[in-house]
Amino acid sequence: MNITVRRRAPELIVPAKPTPRELKPLSDIDDQERFRLQIPVIMVYRSDPNMINMNPASVIRDALAKLLVFYYPFAGRLKEGPAGKLMVDCSGEGVLFIEAEADVTLSQLGDVIYPPFPCIDDLLYDVPGSSGILDSPLLLIQVTRLLCGGFIFTTRLNHTMSDASGLVQFLSGLGEIVRGVTPPSTLPVWQREVLCDIPPGPPMTTFNHKLGYNTNDNMVHKSLFFTTNDISAFRRLVPTHLQRCSTFEVLTACLWRCRTIALQPDPEEEMPIMWPVNARNLLNPPVPVGYYGNVVAFPVAISTARDLCNKPLGYALELVKKAKSDATKSRIASFSDLIAFKGRLHFTSVRGYNISDLTRAGFDTVDLGWGKPVYGGTARARAGVSFYVPYTNSLGESGILIPVCLPSEVMMDRFVKEVNNMLVLGKNELPALSKL
């Protein structure tokens, strides 16, 4: 549907009080090529009778200025130091903020409150000159009011500053200040130096392939929704000893296999898949509470296209489980082990697949004063990158929403057909078989 969005001029929100002027180096985990990108997040809120006379943009704008007193590095700008080392110039220049309104109600959006969102470029406006990694705002926030009193909150984060957990911590703090809680219950901790200049730990799985994001603007976007019954159907397609696998493992194996079939690569081509793992609870000593930088490792599974497509789903599942087991306390026991993951992967080829699991990140629970969002998660998929987002559909069924992006309608149709075939086979308890 067509949506008209009217925006006010972008403004810079600076900390409400003076903050230190200093240079803060990023960690060796933050300072990687794979994080030198912008990540968009969207959260959709219903109207609240208790907030009927409140302008959400004004309320959030004021709270943001107060929060930036605690998270003042976000109001700075990234610079490159010696050898390209990234650091934050805590200049207090501010975070970009846009107030907007749309000529639509939440009910008129109906069942399309998930990616791909209509008019996403209007709901998250790319202010000219704002999307660079260096010398650009580290956060852009847009609040778009709806005719019904609800609103759409979108943000774009320079990924070098935070991972999903760190961003949720920041947004949760914003919500607390909106609700009158100052300071936020979790105070931010910088301490990036603890993840810097650590000698590498024991060697892990070597992986020199180039994974990647195809930046083709004509990519085809679609979201798939899986209920618990659907997940159970996929489990029936694997051997008995694997049926107690996690939801993440079986879904990832299924999507990896179906996407490979859809792409129809050369049978001997290697098809890598990887996913970020939150390593906060895997490290010893632990990351301090309140640390909002990137603390992730990237397990990788690899198979030829021929084996992925010709062998049963259990084959892909076992590869995923093995790679996942490498990112456990037994393999990432220290900061040095975590940094051993650094620098192995670059994103330049559409063959590689990246799964980012947001089901426990917390975007769907961020209360900005209007209760929990109707939808909270990624604003879009990327070529070669899908996200797992918690979602409840119009029938009240809870499950996982997965935005997917493929290079053509033909490939998307093949992908959806293969997924549906596996669901049918699983629900009828028949074996699945696909050929290249």
Side-chain angles (χ1 to χ4, degrees), residues 374-403:
V374 178
Y375 172 88
T378 182
R380 56 165 70 93
R382 298 173 64 97
V385 185
S386 290
F387 299 85
Y388 294 173
V389 183
Y391 189 74
T392 300
N393 66 11
S394 58
L395 300 176
E397 298 173 305
S398 296
I400 297 176
L401 187 81
I402 306 177

Side-chain angles (χ1 to χ4, degrees), residues 126-389:
D126 181 10
V127 178
S130 71
S131 58
I133 299 302
L134 302 177
D135 300 308
S136 295
L138 298 173
L139 273 173
L140 183 153
I141 291 173
Q142 179 170 331
V143 178
T144 305
R145 289 176 285 137
L146 305 176
L147 293 176
C148 58
F151 65 95
I152 299 174
F153 178 99
T154 47
T155 186
R156 190 187 68 197
L157 167 73
N158 185 320
H159 201 345
T160 62
M161 289 292 290
S162 298
D163 54 18
S165 296
L167 179 56
V168 167
Q169 177 183 310
F170 175 86
L171 295 175
S172 298
L174 181 63
E176 287 183 319
I177 291 180
V178 167
R179 301 192 306 275
V181 178
T182 305
S185 58
T186 299
L187 291 174
V189 172
W190 184 261
Q191 291 188 20
R192 309 283 170 116
E193 65 277 2
V194 300
L195 286 175
C196 288
D197 302 323
I198 306 295
M204 295 188 178
T205 304
T206 301
F207 181 63
N208 296 317
H209 289 69
K210 290 189 174 182
L211 290 178
Y213 306 134
N214 182 328
T215 57
N216 183 354
D217 291 334
N218 297 318
M219 302 293 285
V220 177
H221 294 256
K222 190 177 184 65
S223 285
L224 284 70
F225 178 70
F226 298 98
T227 65
T228 53
N229 287 336
D230 295 329
I231 306 302
S232 296
F234 290 139
R235 283 199 176 95
R236 295 189 194 105
L237 299 176
V238 300
T240 302
H241 72 283
L242 293 175
Q243 289 181 5
R244 293 180 64 83
C245 58
S246 71
T247 295
F248 172 85
E249 291 166 347
V250 71
L251 260 185
T252 299
C254 177
L255 264 64
W256 186 24
R257 185 173 186 271
C258 292
R259 181 178 180 272
T260 302
I261 293 169
L263 290 175
Q264 292 189 344
D266 182 286
E268 302 309 317
E269 186 166 358
E270 289 189 328
M271 305 296 292
I273 187 169
M274 72 172 193
W275 54 93
V277 172
N278 184 347
R280 282 167 171 77
N281 297 324
L282 303 179
L283 299 175
N284 184 23
V287 173
V289 174
Y291 187 93
Y292 60 102
N294 292 283
V295 192
V296 290
F298 287 86
V300 178
I302 312 169
S303 171
T304 63
R306 183 188 302 279
D307 284 346
L308 267 182
C309 298
N310 290 352
K311 292 184 178 181
L313 180 61
Y315 164 78
L317 178 57
E318 286 192 303
L319 291 178
V320 169
K321 287 175 69 68
K322 182 180 184 303
K324 186 179 174 185
S325 71
D326 284 346
T328 64
K329 292 181 180 179
S330 64
R331 295 299 300 274
I332 305 179
S334 68
F335 294 141
S336 59
D337 290 332
L338 179 59
I339 288 174
F341 277 97
K342 177 187 172 183
R344 294 182 302 152
L345 305 172
H346 299 281
F347 306 109
T348 57
S349 165
V350 75
R351 298 309 188 198
Y353 198 22
N354 187 337
I355 298 289
S356 186
D357 185 2
L358 301 180
T359 55
R360 294 180 176 85
F363 291 112
D364 58 320
T365 64
V366 173
D367 182 353
L368 294 178
W370 277 256
K372 294 181 181 179
V374 178
Y375 172 88
T378 182
R380 56 165 70 93
R382 298 173 64 97
V385 185
S386 290
F387 299 85
Y388 294 173
V389 183

